[in-house]
Amino acid sequence: MSGIKKQLAENQRNQIQNVAVLGATGSIGHSTLDVLSHLSDRFRIALLSCHQRLDRFQEQCDRFKPRRAIVTGPRNAEVDAWLQKTDGCSETVREVGTTRLIEAIESDEIDIVVAAIVGCAGLESSLAAALAGKRLGLANKESLVVAGEMLINAVRSGGAELLPIDSEHSAIFQSIQSGQGKSEVQRIILTASGGPLRKWPVGDLENATVEDALAHPTWNMGRKITVDSATMMNKALEVIEAKWLFDLTPEQITVVIHPQSTIHSMVEFCDGSVIAQLSPPDMRLPIQYALTYPDRFPSPAYKIDWGTPHQMEWYPVDPERYPALELGFEVAKRGGTTGAVLNGANEAAVELFLNRKIRLTEIAKICRSVLNHHDYSPSPALDELMRLDRWSREEVFRWINIPC
Ligand code: NAD
Ligand code: MG
């Protein structure tokens, strides 16, 4: 970095940064607000958005007093009542709609966007933040799964900074920082907890209930990602995410089961040396690093207690138990429209499982079938990706004869 550039970066770091938290009412949104309240001398909570759960959103607005609060869900009586409210946080401008959210992200009011919306619904705002040259702290992995090439190009053309929040990708990012250079990276090793059903006999998995799938042993997360962890679709999506973030080939990505979730991922260098990032499973650490990078500050996240014994194991992944994982490697290889189709099919199938319409084990089968039957294109435009997102959801609903 040149002297002037370094100075400018330094000046920027010393100014208070305005942060937009998209999906504030979710699990990552909640952890982000906790981090921001510990670093209030460096960051201002400028914008909060949510889709539903207005009672929780109102509490957040009252407590954090953002400049803007935007609801993106359908306009109904509850939203109208919320818009009329003046008590609590009268200094907050209340608005409704995705268009307003995008305009606010693009404005000078925002320096950093934390993308914590769940699903493909987060893509438009991720792209807007990238094109507007913001720092984009990306929890919404689905943005990269659906439109990885487009988002990476948007980051480049907009002059944005893309910082991973997903714990595995933050671990890789941190391990590469302390390593040499990208050309010396042999491979990355993504760790997976194995989810709550890791020890179930494979033949019993089809009987897993929603409650069984949601009982994650190490992480406390939103419902969609928790089901994805039980099927290992989450790791499939993370393989695709890693390919785009670190410009890797699928052959450079290995997945291992590490039930303790202490090693968040590792980088193996060409000389065989492996650098790992360790900490207790607590998303506040990767969230904070995405906000403060390249600096580090004391964090509210839990620390490892070195005074108590701790075991760390890892195992290879059994493909019979976790058939979803190979879908991620296939999409990472083929690119094009495959990510949008896998993601759309998975989102719809997870919703059906959560509504007790299909079995857990049907999710990967449905995704495989929809992926096999789609009209592949190697370099789709955004509207084609969005069309296939809708198509794949419709296909899933057709699978069980439910009108969309
Ligand atoms: P969550 O379900 O707890 O929260 C989702 C948030 O998105 C809520 O604020 C909700 O109002 C909003 N939202 C839902 N549908 C929306 C729509 N159509 N348009 C706009 N906003 C919408 O989810 P989460 O667990 O916090 O996960 C958020 C993202 O972070 C996901 O992409 C997930 O894969 C990723 N992630 C989560 C964790 C975790 O620990 N929870 C870890 C790594 C990555
Ligand atoms: Mg993860």
Side-chain angles (χ1 to χ4, degrees):
M1 212 189 273
S2 76
I4 296 176
K5 252 184 147 178
K6 217 171 172 177
Q7 189 59 51
L8 284 172
E10 184 68 20
N11 288 351
Q12 204 185 9
R13 292 221 298 273
N14 290 333
Q15 279 171 9
I16 289 208
Q17 302 280 294
N18 292 302
V19 183
V21 184
L22 315 185
T25 49
S27 154
I28 292 287
H30 179 78
S31 298
T32 304
L33 290 171
D34 194 22
V35 169
L36 290 169
S37 57
H38 278 83
L39 293 173
S40 57
D41 53 334
R42 305 203 149 254
F43 300 103
R44 182 181 298 122
I45 299 170
L47 186 162
L48 298 181
S49 89
C50 85
H51 203 65
Q52 63 276 89
R53 301 184 64 178
L54 290 194
D55 48 340
R56 188 167 195 186
F57 195 48
Q58 182 57 39
E59 280 169 28
Q60 292 182 330
C61 291
D62 288 343
R63 179 162 169 219
F64 298 106
K65 302 191 172 20
R67 261 195 221 134
R68 273 179 210 287
I70 304 181
V71 174
T72 53
R75 186 86 185 243
N76 53 28
E78 192 191 6
V79 174
D80 284 341
W82 173 78
L83 278 170
Q84 300 306 321
K85 271 200 182 119
T86 49
D87 54 320
C89 55
S90 53
E91 60 260 61
T92 299
V93 177
R94 292 159 195 251
E95 292 170 307
V96 176
T98 304
T99 309
R100 275 307 301 131
L101 181 65
I102 300 297
E103 285 167 358
I105 289 170
E106 290 168 346
S107 76
D108 291 343
E109 283 176 23
I110 303 299
D111 303 304
I112 301 178
V113 173
V114 174
I117 290 173
V118 63
C120 179
L123 174 59
E124 192 181 353
S125 45
S126 296
L127 282 171
L131 287 168
K134 310 292 172 171
R135 171 172 289 206
L136 172 59
L138 191 70
N140 178 262
K141 65 191 86 186
E142 294 91 345
S143 290
L144 282 170
V145 172
V146 173
E149 190 168 5
M150 206 170 284
L151 183 59
I152 296 297
N153 287 339
V155 167
R156 283 203 194 107
S157 67
E161 284 179 292
L162 179 56
L163 278 303
I165 284 182
D166 214 348
S167 56
E168 295 77 1
H169 304 74
S170 176
I172 302 291
F173 182 65
Q174 294 180 57
S175 302
I176 290 180
Q177 301 294 312
S178 39
Q180 305 293 289
K182 182 178 174 293
S183 63
E184 290 153 1
V185 171
Q186 184 72 21
R187 66 162 118 189
I188 64 165
I189 300 99
L190 296 179
T191 54
S193 70
L197 313 173
R198 182 173 66 88
K199 291 189 171 163
W200 281 39
V202 174
D204 290 355
L205 290 175
E206 63 173 5
N207 299 322
T209 63
V210 170
E211 291 70 27
D212 294 328
L214 288 179
H216 199 284
T218 50
W219 290 100
N220 185 7
M221 312 180 283
R223 284 158 65 87
K224 189 256 178 189
I225 186 175
T226 306
V227 174
D228 285 348
S229 298
T231 59
M232 194 126 353
M233 185 64 82
N234 183 46
K235 217 47 57 178
L237 304 181
E238 291 183 357
V239 167
I240 307 162
E241 182 184 13
K243 168 205 151 110
W244 289 114
L245 279 173
F246 305 111
D247 190 19
L248 299 168
T249 63
E251 293 73 26
Q252 286 179 289
I253 305 172
T254 298
V255 175
V256 297
I257 296 204
H258 166 53
Q260 292 81 13
S261 301
T262 304
I263 304 174
H264 295 298
S265 278
M266 304 174 252
V267 179
E268 183 183 297
F269 292 89
C270 54
D271 59 359
S273 180
V274 177
I275 297 187
Q277 186 264 329
L278 283 69
S279 52
D282 185 336
M283 287 306 295
R284 289 175 297 181
L285 183 62
I287 291 169
Q288 176 164 315
Y289 194 59
L291 292 167
T292 65
Y293 169 82
D295 301 323
R296 290 185 187 270
F297 294 97
S299 144
Y302 299 119
K303 314 290 180 297
I304 292 176
D305 176 0
W306 296 104
T308 56
H310 187 77
Q311 245 185 340
M312 282 196 269
E313 308 152 289
W314 59 78
Y315 307 98
V317 179
D318 172 5
E320 201 198 339
R321 177 180 294 279
Y322 299 110
L325 184 60
E326 74 159 8
L327 298 172
F329 280 100
E330 184 177 322
V331 168
K333 237 173 242 160
R334 292 180 71 200
T337 43
T338 57
V341 172
L342 174 64
N343 183 70
N346 181 56
E347 283 192 35
V350 169
E351 193 186 322
L352 287 178
F353 170 70
L354 286 170
N355 290 326
R356 301 175 203 273
K357 304 280 188 210
I358 61 170
R359 293 173 186 272
L360 185 77
T361 43
E362 281 181 280
I363 296 175
K365 289 181 193 156
I366 293 176
C367 290
R368 156 60 63 211
S369 165
V370 177
L371 198 57
N372 284 356
H373 290 101
H374 94 278
D375 223 351
Y376 175 75
S377 156
S379 43
L382 186 57
D383 54 355
E384 174 68 350
L385 292 175
M386 293 302 93
R387 188 188 69 74
L388 279 166
D389 173 65
R390 286 190 299 276
W391 174 84
S392 52
R393 289 166 200 263
E394 285 161 14
E395 283 299 296
V396 173
F397 282 92
R398 206 164 295 154
W399 175 282
I400 57 153
N401 294 320
I402 293 185
C404 311

